Amino acid sequence: MAALWLVLAPSVNTYAAVGDAADPFAHPPALERDIRFWIRVYTEVTTDQGLLHDDWNLGLVYEVLRFDPASSPAQRERRVNEAKARYAALLRRFADGSTDNLGAHERRILHAFGDKATPADFREAVGRIRFQLGQADRFHEGLIRAAVWEKQIARTLSQHGVPAEIAALPHVESSFNVAAYSKVGAAGLWQFMPSTARRYMRVDSLVDERLDPHSATEAAANLMLYNYRLVGTWPLAVTAYNHGPGGLRRVQDELGTSDIAVIVKRFQGKTFGFASRNFYVAFLAALEVDRNAEKYFGPITRLPDTESTPAELPDYISVEALVKAFKVDLGALRVLNPALRPPIWSGSRLVPRGYLLRLPGTQPPAEIAAGWARLPMTQRYVAQRNDGGHRFRRGETVASVAAASGVSVSRLLAANGWNSTHTPARGDMVRIPAPATRAEISGGGAVSVAAAPSVTAAPSVAAAAPAPSSGASQTAALPAPVAAAVPPPAATPPSTAAEKVPRPPKEPVSARQTESNSLLPVASPTGSSDTTDYGVGPGDTVIVQATETLGHFADWAQVDSQALRALNKLHKNAMVTQGRKIKLNLSRVSAAEFVAARLEYHRRLQETFFAGHRIAGTETYAIKRGDSLWTIAQQHADLPIWLVAQYNPDVNFNDMRPGTSITLPQVVAINRQ
């Protein structure tokens, strides 16, 4: 058998505090053993090898398994299962007290459990035998690719006040593969899941900014700051990147500590599995290897970083027209703009107005201006190309649909054989002709470019929340993205308030089975960014959250709202306010059914808002006399009150005192056409 690698687990009394402010990522002594395990995974064991180990005591590695590079996943899995069975039998033998005639390798395993090990200890260890595929070759590839983005990532993190060490996180998430796309829906350098990403980026069938390292790094910085505000330490903010800040806050409350070592070693929750428990130590290991790459891998030839110049599009323009206007290579343009999805590259859709197009090299302002000057007005459109059809919704008129589609009323009427007196009914289909160009507008075409809402835009937030019944040939210098699975052009993974992640393949045994080059199973921000507790408390009570009314509670409980008022001794005109405790009548639905309906309401509310908005940063606001949660939201670009509440979960908005500082997210609209 292969040589054994054993390190005894430290006593629980050896927990050390997390790193101080000067070094928030100092290695806690209690986690050093686990960090060394992941350093070994990243630097010594390749994807043709793996470690059979105890999934709790990472110092206990039973064997290093080595595979024939040509072996199939099925052959590898068979070897892993055989090895697991062999060590399970050995542990059961120890549990039975049969420790005679042991070989040197078996004695080392026995001694690793210590002199006080009980039969139960050995039996429990049988269920903890786990296989970890090596990652040394993949990590080495990531180090080569990382150089392309290091300067940009460092600059972005610094601008946002995020520790520079966070730049090592893509090693854990994607091995710095900008094209990484996992089977569970995470994408890009930072492996954002859809619902988390939509808070900070545009993610749809035309633009997926998770695949753009610039946009995704901005989003990662904002998400890290959000996590840090909610959980209070950088080690926990990193852990929350995988587990979600809401889950970490509940762990902090349960254990009464923010010490990452205590949480990793003591907390045992159903959702806090191997990936969540190891996310922070894997990050520290990746940071150690990144800082000392040549110590572990020798000299590394790194790819050159990429220079590009952003240019914001004033209109909707085809890729073909942009290539000609700016005299750039199509391949170079595609590499620099990975967020643009297949319908745009195929020409069936236009690059959206407002998109920040990245051009190869350093382009002075005069060159950008010259490029726009070379672009004919006949190739600049006032709206996105439609798929040819639209079904009328409530409140829409021929004029509003025409304006949103960038065509004149007369063209829309003519395209559908209608006269000027025709009034379409709700549900009628209308054919949308091609949008007008700037040349047509200049020629006097009566098209309103001012912004009527797009016919393809999401409905309003109010509509989404159901009302209660009662209330440069420089291609050679550009790194080609690593091949990865890409979603269908018009499809993006589903989004939920609390991302539901399918169970990944158990313990991958080959490189092609691992998720999107991720070095941990499902190592992506899977937890919900909404930290609100929507559960039912003791005595069938709930705490009123932002936007909720008594009518909502009555609807979700399927009872009469007046009966609910009577149960809570509320006057017929009294309103319930955020933070108030309400007793429910759950005679018709279970608590789980009530919570499911409540979650669905908030999911739809938040999903619809982030279909048209993103968070670009935060600002500090000092409470003034007379302020309320509602007035604060209204005074700041119509911020939803639920979003203000999410950023300030520890603030009692019913008892705000002048001078108190709160954090407000800076929200900007996204052009979804």
Side-chain angles (χ1 to χ4, degrees):
M1 290 185 178
L4 188 72
W5 188 58
L6 296 172
V7 179
L8 292 180
S11 164
V12 294
N13 294 323
T14 62
Y15 290 127
V18 295
D20 58 23
D23 185 5
F25 301 112
H27 290 195
L31 300 182
E32 190 64 37
R33 176 203 66 193
D34 298 358
I35 297 168
R36 292 295 140 192
F37 172 86
W38 287 105
I39 289 176
R40 191 181 188 201
V41 170
Y42 293 166
T43 63
E44 297 180 21
V45 191
T46 72
T47 52
D48 286 324
Q49 303 166 347
L51 304 177
L52 204 65
H53 67 97
D54 184 288
D55 75 354
W56 191 266
N57 176 7
L58 298 188
L60 175 53
V61 175
Y62 294 104
E63 184 177 349
V64 179
L65 297 179
R66 294 177 172 83
F67 306 113
D68 182 335
S71 60
S72 68
Q75 291 172 320
R76 294 183 177 202
E77 187 172 354
R78 188 160 48 248
R79 276 203 61 198
V80 170
N81 289 337
E82 290 171 351
K84 284 184 176 181
R86 187 167 62 252
Y87 286 103
L90 180 63
L91 292 173
R92 292 190 185 99
R93 179 182 168 188
F94 293 161
D96 292 339
S98 179
T99 57
D100 297 331
N101 303 317
L102 298 178
H105 178 68
E106 295 166 327
R107 284 197 300 272
R108 282 194 291 268
I109 295 176
L110 176 63
H111 293 157
F113 283 85
D115 296 334
K116 297 182 180 180
T118 67
D121 292 332
F122 294 116
R123 293 192 185 95
E124 290 173 3
V126 170
R128 298 199 305 264
I129 302 174
R130 182 183 180 275
F131 175 76
Q132 173 61 49
L133 188 70
Q135 300 289 340
D137 48 340
R138 182 165 285 174
F139 201 103
H140 182 260
E141 293 167 1
L143 287 168
I144 295 172
R145 289 191 291 263
V148 177
W149 308 109
E150 282 177 341
K151 290 182 180 178
Q152 178 255 321
I153 291 175
R155 183 167 56 248
T156 300
L157 296 180
S158 175
Q159 289 170 349
H160 285 75
V162 175
E165 291 88 344
I166 299 297
L169 190 58
H171 281 301
V172 180
E173 287 290 342
S174 65
S175 291
F176 277 88
N177 176 6
V178 299
Y181 201 99
S182 81
K183 294 176 183 177
V184 298
L189 202 69
W190 296 88
Q191 285 292 281
F192 272 92
M193 294 292 283
S195 69
T196 306
R198 289 189 180 102
R199 287 183 162 240
Y200 306 101
M201 297 175 279
R202 176 173 176 173
V203 179
D204 55 41
S205 61
L206 296 184
V207 179
D208 188 346
E209 291 183 329
R210 296 178 298 167
L211 300 174
D212 175 14
H214 297 272
S215 299
T217 301
E218 288 275 349
N222 278 317
L223 176 58
M224 279 294 180
L225 287 172
Y226 176 72
N227 289 348
Y228 178 74
R229 172 167 180 77
L230 296 187
V231 298
T233 75
W234 284 112
L236 290 183
V238 170
T239 307
Y241 195 85
N242 175 269
H243 190 67
L248 260 296
R249 282 173 64 90
R250 287 187 286 275
V251 172
Q252 288 173 289
D253 290 342
E254 183 174 331
L255 296 184
T257 183
S258 294
D259 190 319
I260 184 64
V262 174
I263 289 172
V264 167
K265 291 299 176 186
R266 291 186 181 174
F267 185 71
Q268 300 184 41
K270 291 182 179 179
T271 61
F272 199 72
F274 184 83
S276 295
R277 194 170 73 243
N278 281 273
F279 194 78
Y280 182 63
V281 292
F283 162 73
L284 290 182
L287 180 61
E288 160 69 19
V289 178
D290 182 78
R291 284 172 166 173
N292 302 281
E294 294 195 356
K295 168 186 172 182
Y296 294 102
F297 292 104
I300 296 175
T301 303
R302 298 174 180 263
L303 291 174
D305 62 356
T306 309
E307 292 291 336
S308 64
T309 303
E312 184 174 338
L313 268 66
D315 294 300
Y316 296 85
I317 305 168
S318 71
V319 168
E320 181 182 10
L322 290 169
V323 166
K324 292 179 181 178
F326 288 100
K327 301 178 180 179
V328 296
D329 177 81
L330 177 62
L333 198 66
R334 189 161 189 166
V335 167
L336 288 173
N337 296 275
L340 298 179
R341 308 310 296 135
I344 289 177
W345 296 110
S346 70
S348 65
R349 293 290 188 276
L350 304 170
V351 182
R353 178 176 59 209
Y355 177 78
L356 208 62
L357 185 77
R358 293 199 169 271
L359 300 168
T362 303
Q363 306 273 357
E367 287 295 323
I368 301 295
W372 294 131
R374 287 190 292 268
L375 189 66
M377 289 294 183
T378 56
Q379 296 180 3
R380 295 171 59 164
Y381 295 86
V382 299
Q384 182 61 267
R385 285 176 182 162
N386 195 277
D387 58 6
H390 169 69
R391 191 175 298 277
F392 270 85
R393 296 195 291 257
R394 178 182 297 173
E396 288 183 331
T397 65
V398 170
S400 68
V401 170
S405 304
V407 300
S408 65
V409 171
S410 60
R411 283 183 67 188
L412 186 65
L413 292 172
N416 290 274
W418 297 338
N419 60 36
S420 59
T421 62
H422 183 78
T423 303
R426 179 184 178 188
D428 283 356
M429 286 297 297
V430 56
R431 181 179 178 275
I432 307 294
T437 66
R438 286 292 172 188
E440 292 174 295
I441 298 297
S442 301
V447 179
S448 171
V449 193
S454 166
V455 295
T456 57
S460 68
V461 174
S469 61
S470 52
S473 300
Q474 301 180 34
T475 312
L478 298 171
V482 179
V486 178
T492 51
S495 168
T496 60
E499 204 73 61
K500 294 181 180 179
V501 182
R503 185 183 298 276
K506 184 179 180 181
E507 301 172 12
V509 295
S510 66
R512 64 173 178 255
Q513 285 184 321
T514 55
E515 293 286 340
S516 66
N517 284 1
S518 172
L519 304 189
L520 273 174
V522 199
S524 52
T526 58
S528 171
S529 295
D530 184 356
T531 62
T532 309
D533 183 1
Y534 295 113
V536 175
D540 292 342
T541 59
V542 293
I543 302 299
V544 178
Q545 303 299 339
T547 76
E548 293 180 338
T549 67
L550 202 66
H552 286 120
F553 297 144
D555 267 7
W556 301 332
Q558 298 180 19
V559 297
D560 182 75
S561 62
Q562 295 306 317
L564 210 53
R565 282 187 178 276
L567 179 64
N568 288 274
K569 299 179 180 179
L570 293 171
H571 186 271
K572 64 178 181 179
N573 295 324
M575 297 179 63
V576 296
T577 56
Q578 183 177 2
R580 178 166 184 163
K581 181 181 289 187
I582 293 293
K583 183 172 178 57
L584 302 174
N585 178 347
L586 296 180
S587 60
R588 296 186 178 180
V589 300
S590 67
E593 290 171 327
F594 178 90
V595 171
R598 194 183 190 191
L599 283 170
E600 175 62 12
Y601 164 81
H602 287 283
R603 181 194 69 80
R604 291 180 61 193
L605 185 73
Q606 296 175 34
E607 185 179 71
T608 302
F609 179 78
F610 287 119
H613 303 81
R614 69 177 178 86
I615 299 170
T618 61
E619 60 179 300
T620 300
Y621 176 77
I623 299 296
K624 300 179 178 62
R625 188 176 301 277
D627 274 344
S628 67
L629 178 57
W630 186 85
T631 60
I632 291 170
Q634 291 299 309
Q635 292 167 8
H636 291 80
D638 292 324
L639 274 175
I641 58 175
W642 53 262
L643 187 58
V644 177
Q646 284 181 16
Y647 268 78
N648 301 273
D650 299 317
V651 173
N652 181 357
F653 286 98
N654 293 321
D655 185 26
M656 295 187 297
R657 299 184 179 183
T660 301
S661 293
I662 63 172
T663 297
L664 297 179
Q666 296 174 325
V667 172
V668 297
I670 297 178
N671 173 21
R672 286 289 180 180
Q673 294 188 69

